[in-house]
Amino acid sequence: MNNTYKPIEDNKRTTIVDILRGWALLGVVIGNYVDYKFIGLPSDSNAKNIVTTILGNIHQYVFAAKSWTLLSVLFGYGFAVLIQNVESKGKNPVGFFAWRMLILFVLAFLNSAIWLGDILKDYAFLGLILLLFYKCSAKTILRVSLFLLLTIPFVSGYVNTLEYSVPDVYSDPKYLQLYHSANWFDVFEYNLLGTYYGQILNLTYAITVHIMMFACMLLGFYAQKTAFFNRLPEMKKTLKKTFFISLVITLLLISIFEIVFSIDLVFPTYFRPGYWLILSTMICIASGICLLYYHNKLQTVFAYFRFSGKMTLTNYIVQNLLAFLIFSGVGLKLYNTMPFWFYFILAISVFIIQLFVSKWWLSKFNYGPVEWLWRVLSYRKIFTFKKTKSELISKEVEALVIEV
């Protein structure tokens, strides 16, 4: 038996998983860039016009929170694949994965210095908790996930009744002066304080969001345990049912929410069903993408999404770095001065550019730069970064065969 740690080989990666990661990145960049519009402004400060309304609705109903929940599912899936890979080498995966999450914590800290909405720290923290389930059966994992998802409206409602106070770095002038400063360390401090107060000490985020993330991670763990993504071709009927059922539930929940808010009703204090809408929408979109892919639709688009998805970590951090340089006091100082559509369109533009850059990069290199660094530190060995001539020739031949 070969007892050497080895990463997952590229030819063994599940294509649809990388495609879904690519799609999730689109939602993440839109959500993050739109948030910059409201730093220093109240959340209802948008001028009401038809463009803002349309883009706002697209963001709210298609992207908002659906992307990080999908990424959570895929993180759980990747966790399970990695655990299986390490175990197959006769090694105990606990120490290896704990070390890998420690490295992710460090990356999360660096990313939090440039963006106050970092999610890497959450994945690193919850990844450690996932280790408690790695020997559980698929049924147990699914049951725990469903239990969390069914109870989350009640948990969310209860958390909203708790009284606590944390500074609002989005609107407090004392903190905004750090964001507006031309000193890099001031802006770093602003973002780190935003992460600390807005996520770590904010109970709505620290409790409710983490429960939702963890439930989604368990769903991804279950998907790997049952080889879900590898059996999609034989599960087209199940996918169709999943798509249409989740679509009906999504439309029903949207209608209920619109009615409730339009006539100034409120949900019961201890029942906040918003995360059910997020979950049903995410499942609807993900199953729809899977159906399109296995019906050979949008092949070119999905090919680009796959390249982006293989560099998820690099693209995510680059998105945040660009925004840091565009909006804050150390860069172009755009702050919240632009109309809503500017942030939305800029996010899509950055994403599209990253699609092409990712394809070019992976034609020359084996990994994204951050993925390579994480891999090297995780396995404590150097991996070949740049493709060899033989690999480049092989890729060219493969491309010619596909074109023919």
Side-chain angles (χ1 to χ4, degrees):
M1 178 181 295
N2 183 358
N3 288 327
T4 303
Y5 287 125
K6 290 183 179 179
I8 305 299
E9 296 176 16
D10 185 66
N11 59 6
K12 293 183 179 179
R13 294 175 67 101
T14 305
T15 300
I16 187 60
V17 172
D18 285 327
I19 291 171
L20 290 172
R21 286 195 182 104
W23 167 262
L25 272 173
L26 172 60
V28 166
V29 69
I30 290 175
N32 289 352
Y33 280 32
V34 164
D35 278 351
Y36 277 97
K37 170 65 179 174
F38 302 109
I39 296 180
L41 294 176
S43 60
D44 59 351
S45 60
N46 264 331
K48 302 301 180 182
N49 59 64
I50 188 169
V51 175
T52 295
T53 300
I54 291 173
L55 294 181
N57 286 335
I58 291 174
H59 172 242
Q60 179 181 353
Y61 291 117
V62 179
F63 295 109
K66 288 75 177 179
S67 297
W68 61 255
T69 48
L70 178 56
L71 279 177
S72 298
V73 172
L74 301 176
F75 180 89
Y77 177 87
F79 164 88
V81 170
L82 187 59
I83 289 291
Q84 184 182 62
N85 182 49
V86 173
E87 269 195 320
S88 68
K89 308 302 179 184
K91 296 285 188 177
N92 185 341
V94 175
F96 171 80
F97 197 80
W99 168 247
R100 187 170 171 84
M101 292 301 97
L102 178 61
I103 299 168
L104 189 59
F105 268 121
V106 175
L107 292 174
F109 176 81
L110 297 175
N111 187 58
S112 295
I114 61 173
W115 166 235
L116 72 169
D118 170 76
I119 59 173
L120 299 181
K121 67 187 182 308
D122 308 306
Y123 289 175
F125 168 68
L126 295 175
L128 293 175
I129 299 178
L130 270 180
L131 285 171
L132 300 175
F133 291 82
Y134 90 92
K135 286 189 176 181
C136 291
S137 67
K139 286 185 178 180
T140 298
I141 292 170
L142 180 61
R143 286 169 182 167
V144 174
S145 177
L146 292 179
F147 172 77
L148 294 176
L149 292 173
L150 289 173
T151 58
I152 198 165
F154 304 97
V155 174
S156 178
Y158 173 72
V159 171
N160 285 342
T161 66
L162 300 177
E163 294 185 5
Y164 64 96
S165 177
V166 293
D168 183 5
V169 299
Y170 269 76
S171 60
D172 191 327
K174 179 176 69 174
Y175 298 102
L176 288 175
Q177 66 180 351
L178 295 174
Y179 174 61
H180 293 144
S181 171
N183 185 305
W184 287 64
F185 290 100
D186 285 344
V187 184
F188 291 158
E189 181 182 358
Y190 172 81
N191 288 318
L192 290 172
L193 288 172
T195 299
Y196 180 65
Y197 290 128
Q199 297 182 331
I200 297 175
L201 295 188
N202 185 318
L203 296 183
T204 299
Y205 190 97
I207 297 175
T208 312
V209 171
H210 280 147
I211 290 176
M212 185 66 178
M213 281 185 177
F214 190 69
C216 289
M217 288 180 184
L218 289 174
L219 278 183
F221 200 165
Y222 173 78
Q224 193 280 333
K225 284 271 189 179
T226 57
F228 177 80
F229 289 113
N230 299 104
R231 297 188 296 116
L232 288 184
E234 64 190 64
M235 297 175 63
K236 287 183 179 179
K237 290 184 178 179
T238 301
L239 270 179
K240 286 182 180 179
K241 289 181 180 178
T242 301
F243 173 76
F244 285 111
I245 291 174
S246 59
L247 177 61
V248 170
I249 293 174
T250 297
L251 295 176
L252 179 62
L253 288 174
I254 289 175
S255 300
I256 292 173
F257 274 83
E258 289 294 332
I259 292 172
V260 167
F261 294 138
S262 66
I263 57 179
D264 294 326
L265 293 177
V266 293
F267 288 102
T269 301
Y270 291 97
F271 182 73
R272 304 288 179 177
Y275 282 102
W276 281 355
L277 174 57
I278 292 170
L279 181 68
S280 63
T281 307
M282 182 269 287
I283 291 175
C284 179
I285 293 172
S287 58
I289 290 173
C290 290
L291 281 171
L292 288 171
Y293 174 73
Y294 281 106
H295 280 92
N296 295 319
K297 307 295 184 181
L298 304 176
Q299 292 185 62
T300 302
V301 174
F302 286 151
Y304 279 94
F305 272 57
R306 184 192 181 196
F307 289 122
S308 179
K310 290 173 73 173
M311 293 176 54
T312 302
L313 193 53
T314 295
N315 284 329
Y316 171 64
I317 292 177
V318 169
Q319 289 170 2
N320 296 334
L321 180 60
L322 288 173
F324 172 81
L325 296 174
I326 292 171
F327 299 114
S328 73
V330 300
L332 299 180
K333 300 177 172 48
L334 291 187
Y335 307 127
N336 53 25
T337 59
M338 306 301 290
F340 182 88
W341 62 262
F342 174 84
Y343 301 84
F344 194 95
I345 299 301
L346 176 64
I348 294 177
S349 301
V350 168
F351 176 77
I352 291 174
I353 292 171
Q354 285 188 319
L355 292 181
F356 290 98
V357 172
S358 296
K359 180 181 180 181
W360 171 83
W361 183 274
L362 291 174
S363 71
K364 306 293 183 181
F365 302 93
N366 289 306
Y367 318 100
V370 183
E371 284 78 9
W372 178 82
L373 177 63
W374 194 22
R375 179 167 292 199
V376 167
L377 295 175
S378 297
Y379 291 92
R380 304 179 193 184
K381 61 180 294 187
I382 300 297
F383 294 92
T384 304
F385 187 42
K386 192 172 183 178
K387 291 185 182 295
T388 63
K389 287 185 178 181
S390 59
E391 288 176 318
L392 292 173
I393 293 172
S394 176
K395 290 292 183 182
E396 291 175 1
V397 172
E398 182 182 339
L400 287 172
V401 171
I402 292 174
E403 290 177 2
V404 173

